[in-house]
Amino acid sequence: MPKIAMLGTGLIGTFYTMALHGARSRDQVQVVYSRTLDHAQKFAGEWKIPKATADLAAAINDPEVQVVVVGLPNSQHEEAVTLAAKAGKAILCTKPLARTGAEAKRMLDVVEKAGVFAGYLEDLVYPPKTLRALQSVRSGALGKVLWARSRETHPGPHSDWFWNKEISGGGAIVDMGCHCIEISRNFIGKDVRPLEVVCWADTQVHPIEAEDSAVGMVRYANGAIGQFEVSWTFRGGMDLRDEVSGTEGTIWLNHWLRTGFDVFTAVGEGGYVAEKAESQTGWLFPVGDEVGGLGYRDMFVDMLDAFETGRPARETFYDGYVVNAIMDAAYKSIESKKWEPVELDEWRGAEESGGKVALTDYDADHILIKEEKMPNGQTKVILKHKASGKIVQKVVTP
Amino acid sequence: MPKIAMLGTGLIGTFYTMALHGARSRDQVQVVYSRTLDHAQKFAGEWKIPKATADLAAAINDPEVQVVVVGLPNSQHEEAVTLAAKAGKAILCTKPLARTGAEAKRMLDVVEKAGVFAGYLEDLVYPPKTLRALQSVRSGALGKVLWARSRETHPGPHSDWFWNKEISGGGAIVDMGCHCIEISRNFIGKDVRPLEVVCWADTQVHPIEAEDSAVGMVRYANGAIGQFEVSWTFRGGMDLRDEVSGTEGTIWLNHWLRTGFDVFTAVGEGGYVAEKAESQTGWLFPVGDEVGGLGYRDMFVDMLDAFETGRPARETFYDGYVVNAIMDAAYKSIESKKWEPVELDEWRGAEESGGKVALTDYDADHILIKEEKMPNGQTKVILKHKASGKIVQKVVTP
Amino acid sequence: MPKIAMLGTGLIGTFYTMALHGARSRDQVQVVYSRTLDHAQKFAGEWKIPKATADLAAAINDPEVQVVVVGLPNSQHEEAVTLAAKAGKAILCTKPLARTGAEAKRMLDVVEKAGVFAGYLEDLVYPPKTLRALQSVRSGALGKVLWARSRETHPGPHSDWFWNKEISGGGAIVDMGCHCIEISRNFIGKDVRPLEVVCWADTQVHPIEAEDSAVGMVRYANGAIGQFEVSWTFRGGMDLRDEVSGTEGTIWLNHWLRTGFDVFTAVGEGGYVAEKAESQTGWLFPVGDEVGGLGYRDMFVDMLDAFETGRPARETFYDGYVVNAIMDAAYKSIESKKWEPVELDEWRGAEESGGKVALTDYDADHILIKEEKMPNGQTKVILKHKASGKIVQKVVTP
Amino acid sequence: MPKIAMLGTGLIGTFYTMALHGARSRDQVQVVYSRTLDHAQKFAGEWKIPKATADLAAAINDPEVQVVVVGLPNSQHEEAVTLAAKAGKAILCTKPLARTGAEAKRMLDVVEKAGVFAGYLEDLVYPPKTLRALQSVRSGALGKVLWARSRETHPGPHSDWFWNKEISGGGAIVDMGCHCIEISRNFIGKDVRPLEVVCWADTQVHPIEAEDSAVGMVRYANGAIGQFEVSWTFRGGMDLRDEVSGTEGTIWLNHWLRTGFDVFTAVGEGGYVAEKAESQTGWLFPVGDEVGGLGYRDMFVDMLDAFETGRPARETFYDGYVVNAIMDAAYKSIESKKWEPVELDEWRGAEESGGKVALTDYDADHILIKEEKMPNGQTKVILKHKASGKIVQKVVTP
C-alpha cells in the first residue's frame, strides 16, 4: 500500500487520482501539489487527500511518500523527475516523457543513475481492449505485424498550456502523437528498432504557432510501418482508434465513439457526455467507463504491482525516450520534407536484418502468390514459375 | 476491508473472486466452500485464499468472515442464506435469488428478521455502460421510458446443473430471464409496479425438460413494457443487448459481440476468445474486460461500500423477490396461454394510476400529433381537431 | 416495356415512381391518378408522366395501360383492385393488401377469378441485403430457422390518413406490422403455417384512437416464432432491423440507422437527411440509396419480370391475405389478452406436424446437449444419459 | 438506348455487364471482345450478347456500336482507346486510365482531338453512399474539407496480369491507389490542385516485383491532405473505407465489411460470400448489392445519361490523367524518399493561393482558439490575446 504524491491538479491529475482511489483500491494519494495552493487544497478536499502544498520539493520529499506521480505540464517534467530521483522515490511520469529526445535522455540517465523505479505513464497501451489485443498478437493470431495505425483526434485540448509551444514542446504531435507512436511500437514489437520517419503537419484551423494536425509513418527494422494520425481539428468528439494488420490477421479497436453504446436524446441531460463530446442532443456516444477505457486503471495496477514486486513496468522511461526520439525525427521530417532517421544514443532491442517475404511452394515448379474464391464457386490460384518468374493463374475446380 | 466467505467454485465463483481480488483491491476472500473438498482446495490455491472447506456451516460461521457470498446452484440458496442469516453475517446472493417467488419470499423474510445486510448479485445492472445509461435515463434524457428490451442468448450454459430443472428451477428463463427482467425494471423504474406477464417458451433444440428459449413481456403500471428474450440456442457467441425507448430518446447497449473490438485471424491463437465464443478463427469479437463488462467489478464496489457505510445496496433481496414473482407469472402464462398477473405479497413501490398520453397544443383548435421533415425540405404537421377529432395535415413552408 | 398506371401521389407513389423510372429503366408510368387533379398534374410534371387524371376508372381503363399500381390509402384498395381486375389489367397493390383478412380474401378472389397477374408490393422483403440473407437461409447457412424478429419503429407516419383508423384499418400494426410479419414469414418459410398470435398494443404517446406501439409473436407449425415490433413513438429516426436465429447460425440486418455511413455536422446541410430523420446536426446516419435500400428497386424488377415472363411474383395476393389474417389474430389477442388462432379460409402451404428437437449422439449411452470452450482452454461437454435422463458434464482435455 | 461493345471478359467485364444489363435496363451490350474467342463466346452466351469476337478492331468498328467500354488490362488501354477514337465512338475506359501520366496524356489528347465522348470509369466515386456524402460536402455540412483518407486493401487481385508489373504498370498503387486518390479528389474538390506527394511502399508479403502495400499523402493547394492506403496483404476480406474531416464535420463510409449485414454460420452455405471474402464459416459480412455498392450501377447511369444528353460525365479522361500524374509522383517519392511535385502539363482547375486559418473573435481583445464542455458541467474557453499572443483559458459558468 504505497503512499503517493500527486504532482498536478489538471484533467490528468484528476483522471490519475480517480484511477488510484477507485473501486475498493488499497492505494492512497497522500499529498497533492499544485503551483497554486488554492487548487491543491480544493483538489485535496475533493479526493480526500491528507495534505496539499504549493511547494514541489515538499511534496516530493514528504517522508510518507514512496511514489511520485508527475502530472505536470511538459516543461516541468525534468525538474520534478530530477528532484524525485534525488529523493530516492519511485517515479511515474506522464506522457510525453519530455519535450525532446535530449531532454528525455537526461531524465532517463537521472533515474537510472539514482537506481529508482521509473514508469512511463503511457495509458493508451493499457485499455483492457488493447491489453487483450496485444495478447492475441503475441500468441500469433496475426502472424507477423506489417502495419499499425493509431489515430487520436479531437477538437483540441482543454488547457491553455498545451497550446503554448514553449511549455508543451510542440502541438498535436507532442500531445497525442506520443500515444499513437507507442501504441504502434507495442503492436509491432518493442524489440524492433524504429529506423526512420516521414511526417506531414500543418496548422489547418487554430490560430496557433504549433501544428494542429499531423500524419506520419515510422518504418521499423523488420519492414513494418507504424502510422500515426493526430489532430486538434476533428469534429464529432474524440476519435480514438487503432488498426493492426498482420500476415495472418487484423485487429480493429475503437476506444471512444463506437463502443456498443448509442444514445439518442431530443432533450439532452444537462451535463457531461464524454471527454471531448461536442453535442448534447441527437445521437450521442458516451463511454461507460472512461477511467478504465483510457487505460488509467490497468496502468496503475501494472505500475504499482511492478513497484511492489520489483519487476519493471510494462512501460519504462526508456520507452518514453524512444518515443521522444521518434517525435524529434518527425519534426525534422516536417522541415526537410523527407524521411529522417530516428537517432537513438542507445538501442536496447534486437538488431534485425530487415523483413523478408515468406515463400510458399505451390508445387515443385511454382511459388503460390495467392488463392481466391470466385463468385462462381471456383477457386483461382495465382502462381509464379520458379525458374522463369512468369506469373500464371489456374482455376481449381473443387 | 471485510473478510469474505465464497460459497461455490464454479464459473460464477471464479468471476466473483476475480472481481473481489482484482485491480489493487483491499478485499479478500478468506474461506472458500465447495461440496467437493478437492475443488475448494484447488480454487483456494489458484486465488490465494487462506482456507478451503467442504463444510458449508463451517465456511459461513468462520469467525473471521463478515460477508458471505452465495455462488451455489439455485436449489442451495435458501439453505445457505438461512444459515448465514442465523450467523448474523452480511449476505450477497447470486441470481436468481430463488427458484420461485415463494422461496424468494421466505429468504427475504429470513434476512429481514435477522436484520442482516442482504444484497442481490444481479451483475447485469452494473456494467459501466448500464450504470451510465441509467444515469442518462434518470436525468431525463429519454423522457418517460416506454419500452425496454433486454436480450441474453447464447449456445447454452456451461454446467450440468443448469440443465436439470429440479436443481435450477427451470430453463433459460430462470437462468437468464432474471437478468433481463431486472435490467428492464431498472430502466423503467423500480418504483413502478409490474402488473402482468405474457410469455412464450419452447424447447427448440436441446433434448431437455425445461425451456431452451423464451420471449416474454411484462406490463408495468405506467403503461411501459419490459421485454425479455432468452435462449440457449443462439449461435455466434453470447448476444447481450439492451434497448430502451422513451418519449424523448433511445438507448442501445451492446455488451458483448460488438463493442468496438474486431479481430480476424486465419490461424487462431490457440485459446479462449470470450465467454461463449464459438469459433477460433475468422472474424472474432473478444471482450476487453470481461469482469468489468459483465458488471462484477462495480457490483461488488456497490455491495461492499453499501455494507461498510450502512446504506442499502442498489439491488436488494426485495428486488430478487420481485424478479422471482415475475418469472412465476411467466411460467403460468406459458401454460395458460394468456396474460397472468404478477402476484406480490407486498408492494414497496409507488401506486401508479396508469400511463396517460401527453397532449401538446398546436394552436387554439388543434392538438399536435406529429411533425416531420419531408424529402423536399418542407415540414409537415399532423393535427387533431380538438372538437371534431378530425385528423388533418398541413405543410409548413420554412 | 409495360405501360403503367400509378394510383396515388403520396410518399409511396413517389417512391414507386422513383423506382420505376430510375437507373436507365425501360419502364414508364403512363398515367397518374389522384383524387385531387391538381396533385395528379403536379406529380405528372415532376416525373414526366404523359397523363394525369382525377378519375380512377379512367386511369385504370386507359387502353395503353397494362399494369395498374395501387398506391392509395388502405380503404381504397378493394375498389381499385376490383376495377382493375374487371379491366383485365395486371395489378400491383401496396401493403397492407387490405384492412382485414375478410377484405383481403375478397380481393384475392376477385383477381383469381379474373385471372389477372396480381403482385403484393411488400417492398421490405426485397432490399438487396434481405434477398442475399434469404438466399443464405435457403442454402442452409442457418440450419432450421427458430426465431425471426423484425422491427420497424419511427416517430410516426407522414400522412393524415394513416392516423385515421377508419381509413387505415388500424394503427402501427396495420401500417408497419404487415412488413414485419411478412419478413419473418420469408425467413421462416412461406410454406410453414402460422398457427397463432399473441400481441400487446397500446397508445403510449399520440392522442389517437389506434395503437401507436405493438409487439407480437406469431407461432408457426414447425415451432418457429416470428416476432414483430412496431411503434410510432420511436425517437432517433427510423429503426428498421431484422434478426434471424437458426440452429446453425444467425443473421442481423440493419437497414437504416447503422449501414456504414456516419456523418457528424456542426452546421447541418439545410435539407433532407433520410426518411424519418429527426435531427439536422450532430451525428447523423443517412442512407446511400433509399429507393434500393427499402426494396423498391428489386421489388419492381421481380414484379415486372414476373409479369413479362408469366411466372408468379415472389409476393402474391395470397401472401397479402395471410398477413391480414395474422394481423386480425393480433388485434383479437390485444382484446382477449390471450393467444388467438390465425384463421385462414384456405392454406396453400405444407401441413407440418410440429418442430422436433434434433438429437445428437455423444456416445452409445449419451446424447450431446452442449459443447463449450472454457476460459482455461479446456472443452466441456454436457451430456444426457439415454436411459436415466441424468445430465452430466465432462471436461475434454484437448 | 445506345448499343455497347464490351472489351474484356474478366471480373471487371462481368461487373460492368451485370450493371449495364441489370434491373430493367434499356441498355444492351451488342458485342463482346476477348483475346480468346472461346472466352468471348462463353461470355456472350451467359449475358445474352448477340456477337462475340477475338478481333479488337471488329468489335470497336461494329456499325451498330455507339459506345465502347474498355475493360482490358492496363497495357492495352491506349491501343483500344486510340482505335475507338479513330472510329468516332464514345469511349468509357476502366481505371487506371493508363500506366503512367505520359500514356494518359496521349490518350486524353487522342479523344479530345477526335472530339468523342470519353468517360473515366472510376466506379468508387459512384457508390450511393459516396454520392450522398459528396452532396453533403457540397452543401457545406463539413465546412472546408481538411483531410480525406481512402483505404482499399484485400488479400490480392484475382487475375494474373495484375501481378505482372509490365502489363499493369505497377502494384497495389496502380491497382487500387487510383481509386483512393480520385475519391479524395472528389471530397477535397476537383478544382483544387494537387501539389505534391509523399509515399511509402514495400513488398511485404508476396513474392513479386511490384509493391504489395503502400501509404501516401497528396498535399493540395488549399492545404488539404488526401491520404491513400492500399494493400494486397490485408486479411479478413476487402477493407473499403473512406474518412473525411472538415472544419465543421466528419464523414465515415464503410463500403464492404460493416454495412449493417452480419451473418454467423457454423456450417457455411457452400459458395461465394462476397468479393475477396476469406472465410466460409463463423462471422461473415456479405454485401447486399455488390454491383450497386461498388458504384457500377450509378456510374453507368451517369456515363450513359451524359452521353445521351451531351453533358460531360462526372469523371472524365482528364480526371484519369490527373490521377496518373499523382501516381507518377508517388512512385518517384518511393525512390527519392522525399515529397515529389505532381507534374501536370495542363491544370484545368482553380489557381488557389493556399489554405488560411479562419479566425473567430471571442471579444475585442481575444481570438477564440477552442471551447470545451468539462466533466463538471462547466465550459472552458481557450483564448489568444490579439496583441500579446498570450494564450489563456477561462471557465464560463453556465
Side-chain angles (χ1 to χ4, degrees), chain A residues 203-226:
Chain A
T203 306
Q204 291 189 306
V205 169
H206 300 97
I208 53 169
E209 280 163 42
E211 76 283 357
D212 60 14
S213 298
V215 179
M217 288 183 269
V218 183
R219 197 169 69 80
Y220 284 82
N222 67 350
I225 287 289

Side-chain angles (χ1 to χ4, degrees), chain A residues 11 15 144 146-147 149 151 154-161 163-164 196 198-200 202-209 212-213 215-217 219 223-225 227 229 232-236 239 241 243-250 252 254 257-258 270-277 280 333 336-339 356-360 367-377 380 382 384 389 391-393, chain D residues 11 15 144 146-147 149 151 154-161 163-164 196 198-200 202-209 212-213 215-217 219 223-225 227 229 232-236 239 241 243-250 252 254 257-258 270-277 280 333 336-339 356-360 367-377 380 382 384 389 391-393:
Chain A
L11 186 67
F15 269 128
K144 178 189 164 184
L146 301 170
W147 173 82
R149 176 214 197 196
R151 175 172 174 85
H154 58 59
H158 45 273
S159 288
D160 50 2
W161 69 264
W163 301 87
N164 183 321
E196 54 181 357
V198 74
C199 188
W200 159 85
D202 203 346
T203 306
Q204 291 189 306
V205 169
H206 300 97
I208 53 169
E209 280 163 42
D212 60 14
S213 298
V215 179
M217 288 183 269
R219 197 169 69 80
I225 287 289
Q227 180 174 318
E229 299 177 16
W232 290 343
T233 72
F234 181 76
R235 301 306 303 266
D239 185 18
R241 281 179 293 154
E243 301 178 16
V244 188
S245 286
T247 50
E248 304 295 340
T250 295
W252 291 338
N254 193 327
L257 286 172
R258 297 294 182 274
Y272 177 76
V273 174
E275 202 193 325
K276 313 293 178 204
Q280 300 277 330
S333 170
S336 71
K337 305 202 76 169
K338 57 188 182 63
W339 288 84
K356 283 202 201 72
V357 169
L359 302 185
T360 309
I367 293 161
L368 177 66
I369 293 185
K370 211 210 143 207
E371 194 173 289
E372 185 182 5
K373 193 89 189 166
M374 300 300 286
N376 59 4
K380 192 186 272 187
I382 309 282
K384 186 177 183 173
I391 289 165
V392 291
Q393 66 189 43
Chain D
L11 185 67
F15 269 128
K144 178 190 163 182
L146 300 170
W147 174 81
R149 176 212 196 196
R151 176 172 174 85
H154 58 57
H158 44 274
S159 287
D160 49 2
W161 70 265
W163 300 88
N164 183 322
E196 53 180 359
V198 74
C199 189
W200 160 85
D202 203 348
T203 307
Q204 292 190 305
V205 169
H206 300 97
I208 54 169
E209 279 163 43
D212 60 15
S213 297
V215 179
M217 288 183 268
R219 197 170 70 79
I225 288 289
Q227 179 174 318
E229 299 177 16
W232 289 343
T233 73
F234 181 76
R235 301 306 304 265
D239 185 18
R241 281 178 294 155
E243 301 179 17
V244 188
S245 285
T247 51
E248 304 296 341
T250 296
W252 291 339
N254 194 327
L257 286 172
R258 297 294 182 275
Y272 178 74
V273 174
E275 200 191 329
K276 312 291 179 206
Q280 300 277 329
S333 170
S336 71
K337 305 201 75 169
K338 57 189 181 68
W339 289 83
K356 282 202 201 72
V357 170
L359 302 184
T360 310
I367 293 161
L368 177 67
I369 293 186
K370 210 212 144 207
E371 195 174 289
E372 185 183 4
K373 194 88 188 168
M374 299 301 287
N376 59 4
K380 194 186 270 187
I382 309 281
K384 186 178 184 174
I391 289 166
V392 292
Q393 66 189 42

Side-chain angles (χ1 to χ4, degrees), chain A residues 85 107-116 118 316-318 346 348:
Chain A
M107 291 162 67
L108 173 64
D109 290 346
V110 158
V111 297
E112 296 199 335
K113 269 175 209 154
V116 295
T316 67
F317 269 37
Y318 182 74
E346 185 190 355
R348 299 183 181 176

Side-chain angles (χ1 to χ4, degrees), chain C residues 93-145:
Chain C
C93 183
T94 192
K95 52 97 294 196
L97 187 59
R99 287 169 297 178
T100 63
E103 194 178 51
K105 185 60 169 45
R106 290 195 302 270
M107 290 163 67
L108 174 64
D109 290 345
V110 157
V111 297
E112 296 199 336
K113 269 177 208 154
V116 294
F117 180 93
Y120 175 50
L121 297 180
E122 175 41 74
D123 56 291
L124 287 183
V125 305
Y126 288 102
K129 282 178 188 171
T130 303
L131 294 175
R132 181 70 183 73
L134 287 167
Q135 177 193 319
S136 291
V137 167
R138 275 155 203 176
S139 65
L142 262 63
K144 178 190 163 183
V145 171

Side-chain angles (χ1 to χ4, degrees), chain A residues 95-325:
Chain A
K95 50 91 321 196
L97 188 60
R99 288 168 297 178
T100 63
E103 194 177 50
K105 187 58 168 49
R106 290 195 303 270
M107 291 162 67
L108 173 64
D109 290 346
V110 158
V111 297
E112 296 199 335
K113 269 175 209 154
V116 295
F117 180 92
Y120 175 49
L121 297 179
E122 175 41 73
D123 58 289
L124 287 182
V125 305
Y126 288 101
K129 282 177 188 172
T130 303
L131 293 175
R132 180 71 182 73
L134 286 167
Q135 178 193 320
S136 291
V137 167
R138 274 153 205 177
S139 65
L142 263 63
K144 178 189 164 184
V145 171
L146 301 170
W147 173 82
R149 176 214 197 196
S150 181
R151 175 172 174 85
E152 178 169 351
T153 64
H154 58 59
H158 45 273
S159 288
D160 50 2
W161 69 264
F162 281 96
W163 301 87
N164 183 321
K165 198 174 172 174
E166 206 178 325
I167 301 179
S168 62
I173 296 175
V174 160
D175 178 24
M176 304 183 296
C178 56
H179 285 307
C180 301
I181 287 165
E182 188 62 358
I183 290 167
S184 290
R185 272 190 79 221
N186 269 272
F187 280 111
I188 290 166
K190 285 202 203 168
D191 211 38
V192 186
R193 185 166 190 154
L195 297 184
E196 54 181 357
V197 181
V198 74
C199 188
W200 159 85
D202 203 346
T203 306
Q204 291 189 306
V205 169
H206 300 97
I208 53 169
E209 280 163 42
E211 76 283 357
D212 60 14
S213 298
V215 179
M217 288 183 269
V218 183
R219 197 169 69 80
Y220 284 82
N222 67 350
I225 287 289
Q227 180 174 318
F228 58 93
E229 299 177 16
V230 293
S231 182
W232 290 343
T233 72
F234 181 76
R235 301 306 303 266
M238 181 155 70
D239 185 18
L240 213 57
R241 281 179 293 154
D242 305 316
E243 301 178 16
V244 188
S245 286
T247 50
E248 304 295 340
T250 295
I251 288 177
W252 291 338
L253 299 174
N254 193 327
H255 298 286
W256 216 246
L257 286 172
R258 297 294 182 274
T259 64
F261 190 173
D262 301 17
V263 175
F264 178 87
T265 172
V267 295
E269 56 180 274
Y272 177 76
V273 174
E275 202 193 325
K276 313 293 178 204
E278 289 200 278
S279 47
Q280 300 277 330
T281 59
W283 280 104
L284 308 176
F285 300 91
V287 173
D289 173 16
E290 296 203 4
V291 168
L294 290 173
Y296 296 119
R297 179 183 301 116
D298 288 278
M299 177 175 75
F300 282 114
V301 170
D302 175 52
M303 291 288 161
L304 295 173
D305 283 357
F307 169 63
E308 287 181 354
T309 62
R311 65 164 171 82
R314 191 180 261 265
E315 291 287 318
T316 67
F317 269 37
Y318 182 74
D319 294 314
Y321 165 55
V322 173
V323 170
N324 268 120

